[in-house]
Amino acid sequence: MSNQSPDLAKTLRKKRNDILELWMKNQLADVSLREDLLTNEELRAQSEELLDVLLQNLNERNIAEVESADFEPVVEVLSGISISRAKQGFTPRETGLYIFSLKDALLTVVQQELKDDPAQLVTAVLTISKLVDSFGVTTFETFIKGREEVILRQTDEITEISTPVIQLWDNILALPIIGTLDSSRTQVVMENLLQQIVDTGSSIAILDISGVPAVDSLVAQHLIKTVSATRLMGAECIISGIRPEIAQTVVHLGIDLSNIVTKASLASALRYAFGMLQLDVKKTIREK
Amino acid sequence: MIIPLNKEAVEVKKEQDTIFLRNRIKECATKTGMGLVNQTKLITAASELARNMLRYAGGGNVLVETVSKGRENGVRLTFKDTGPGIPDIAMAMKDGYSTGKSLGLGLPGTKRLVSEFDIKSTPGTGTVITIIKWKNG
Ligand SMILES: Nc1ncnc2c1ncn2[C@@H]1O[C@H](COP(=O)(O)OP(=O)(O)OP(=O)(O)O)[C@@H](O)[C@H]1O
Ligand SMILES: [Mg+2]
């Protein structure tokens, strides 16, 4: 028995093709294979890329140091795979199993190679387990990051689509607000509105709050600020869509909205705006 | 005697947490059969207290409970923070008093919106505010 430890990294590199075949076999045999999300060719290319970058950067020294900077290229490829899988709709479990099935392949090969040297085998198994487990953790971290990016993008999209400015009539703009009016949204709403006032030369803006769930003192202040800013631009601002329960709450809170023109519905705000513009809406009487 | 029927703790550490808090409260209030007007008053009150907690005490915890007293059901909310506390409660409860250059309507307005209001604050230790809105209150 030799007391010189065999180079585990070198052994693995030598067995690269065996490992890849085993790993692919494991994955393709899995009942939960997601051919709907990733074709077998894509899966093979992905697995090959990961295995190669791992084997290229692995040596006898760093194999036992999972934190080694040598693994940065591996972590990079791994993160890329994990994030793209998160976006494609793989579950974290599926992505986790993908990495752990590599461990199975590595261990099977090592077992064959070191079957005559149980002591070395145990060390090798522990080393490989530790290494792949740490890659597993990396995938989870990046998987979550990938999901968070999706959420952030959606948040931005929601803010954008939920504050449209509509031209109702010549000189009349309407801005329906849906959802909670917090400080950052108020900023978006105000900027959109003021810009549209400039762009369209409108003189009346209707802020409809039918879709705002609650008006507390902060939301009220945001509304008051928006109205003041509109007035500074030389336009008048009407707030519509004040539901009965909101009206009662605002009064109890003690907020003074008496300097602002408020209407119960968008329709009555529009009627009021027509009045200001001295427009008359009439039913046409057809002559026979 | 006020009997809690079920309870849940909600952390308020950032502005978005208040949306979650409001939804929990709405769920509880709906279960008691509370009408829309009282629900809106309760949620608005909670939103004021949560905002104070974030602004003046850097966040805290809210205990959301469904409670009953005799034949009346309602929702009890306990806002607890370990912030700087309020040195002069009587002053803070006045309309228009604010150390934050705001409207100063949060605390007095909240008191007007709910059925029961209790405030305890120790400078240097923190503030505990308990409010109850009865279903028909
Ligand atoms: N949880 C708290 N911890 C410490 N101080 C508080 C707390 N809540 C309120 N205060 C103090 O009480 C004052 C009054 O609070 P209140 O909510 O009535 O008004 P505000 O928050 O200043 O203005 P508004 O709520 O109208 O925007 C605050 O300015 C602050 O100094
Ligand atoms: Mg306040």
Side-chain angles (χ1 to χ4, degrees), chain A residues 3-288:
Chain A
N3 52 7
Q4 189 198 339
S5 76
D7 188 336
L8 184 56
K10 208 185 260 169
T11 312
L12 293 176
R13 237 188 318 273
K14 206 174 66 201
K15 288 281 168 188
R16 180 242 182 220
N17 288 346
D18 290 2
I19 297 170
L20 182 63
E21 287 322 312
L22 258 170
W23 188 18
M24 289 313 298
K25 209 177 86 195
N26 288 348
Q27 294 190 67
L28 297 178
D30 193 334
V31 283
S32 59
L33 183 69
R34 298 297 297 269
E35 280 171 283
D36 51 331
L37 299 178
L38 202 65
T39 66
N40 289 348
E41 288 74 46
E42 285 167 333
L43 181 64
R44 191 182 179 90
Q46 197 175 71
S47 306
E48 209 165 348
E49 188 194 5
L50 180 60
L51 182 61
D52 283 340
V53 73
L54 170 63
L55 294 180
Q56 274 157 25
N57 290 286
L58 202 63
N59 58 45
E60 198 47 24
R61 207 173 16 77
N62 64 23
I63 194 163
E65 282 173 50
V66 294
E67 301 294 341
S68 167
D70 298 354
F71 292 128
E72 265 164 29
V74 184
V75 169
E76 204 170 288
V77 171
L78 202 56
S79 305
I81 292 176
S82 184
I83 287 186
S84 76
R85 282 181 163 236
K87 287 181 184 155
Q88 281 164 337
F90 280 91
T91 64
R93 186 190 174 83
E94 284 160 349
T95 302
L97 287 177
Y98 167 71
I99 300 304
F100 294 131
S101 65
L102 169 61
K103 181 156 83 175
D104 282 346
L106 290 170
L107 291 181
T108 310
V109 167
V110 171
Q111 208 171 13
Q112 284 161 4
E113 286 298 299
L114 297 175
K115 59 178 179 291
D116 300 327
D117 192 345
Q120 288 293 348
L121 179 58
V122 170
T123 319
V125 167
L126 285 177
T127 310
I128 289 172
S129 289
K130 223 174 175 172
L131 189 67
V132 181
D133 287 352
S134 117
F135 291 149
V137 172
T138 308
T139 18
F140 282 119
E141 283 168 353
T142 39
F143 192 91
I144 289 168
K145 226 198 263 155
R147 281 292 166 95
E148 270 167 4
E149 275 168 23
V150 172
I151 295 170
L152 281 179
R153 216 180 45 231
Q154 286 172 342
T155 313
D156 286 348
E157 270 169 28
I158 291 168
T159 325
E160 212 145 89
I161 55 172
S162 56
T163 51
V165 182
I166 303 159
Q167 176 122 39
L168 272 187
W169 204 266
D170 271 352
N171 285 314
I172 305 176
L173 293 177
L175 207 160
I177 303 171
I178 293 164
T180 308
L181 197 56
D182 57 19
S183 307
S184 56
R185 281 230 22 234
T186 307
Q187 198 56 35
V188 177
V189 166
M190 194 144 36
E191 272 167 23
N192 274 356
L193 182 63
L194 299 184
Q195 190 56 47
Q196 288 291 318
I197 289 176
V198 175
D199 292 352
T200 62
S202 297
S203 57
I204 298 175
I206 304 172
L207 220 59
D208 188 81
I209 59 166
S210 311
V212 177
V215 177
D216 60 14
S217 66
L218 185 70
V219 174
Q221 281 189 79
H222 287 329
L223 290 174
I224 293 170
K225 271 188 201 140
T226 309
V227 172
S228 312
T230 321
R231 283 186 183 152
L232 277 177
M233 309 270 308
E236 186 51 59
C237 190
I238 306 167
I239 295 183
S240 71
I242 303 194
R243 303 189 301 275
E245 66 273 16
I246 302 267
Q248 294 185 49
T249 306
V250 165
V251 168
H252 274 96
L253 258 183
I255 297 164
D256 183 14
L257 292 182
S258 60
N259 290 324
I260 299 176
V261 184
T262 53
K263 296 287 164 197
S265 68
L266 185 58
S268 53
L270 185 60
R271 192 174 306 126
Y272 181 87
F274 281 157
M276 285 176 72
L277 295 172
Q278 288 159 339
L279 292 171
D280 212 359
V281 182
K282 267 200 229 131
K283 199 173 203 166
T284 51
I285 302 161
R286 271 202 215 137
E287 286 172 29
K288 285 205 175 144

Side-chain angles (χ1 to χ4, degrees), chain B residues 16-32:
Chain B
Q16 292 94 292
D17 293 341
T18 59
I19 299 179
F20 180 74
L21 174 69
R22 278 212 294 257
N23 290 338
R24 305 308 309 175
I25 297 171
K26 193 172 175 65
E27 237 169 67
C28 271
T30 311
K31 261 190 230 147
T32 66

Side-chain angles (χ1 to χ4, degrees), chain A residues 217, chain B residues 48-49 51-52 55-56 102 104-107:
Chain A
S217 66
Chain B
E48 292 294 340
L49 296 180
R51 222 151 31 67
N52 278 354
R55 182 160 178 187
Y56 302 110
S102 197
L105 291 175
L107 289 177

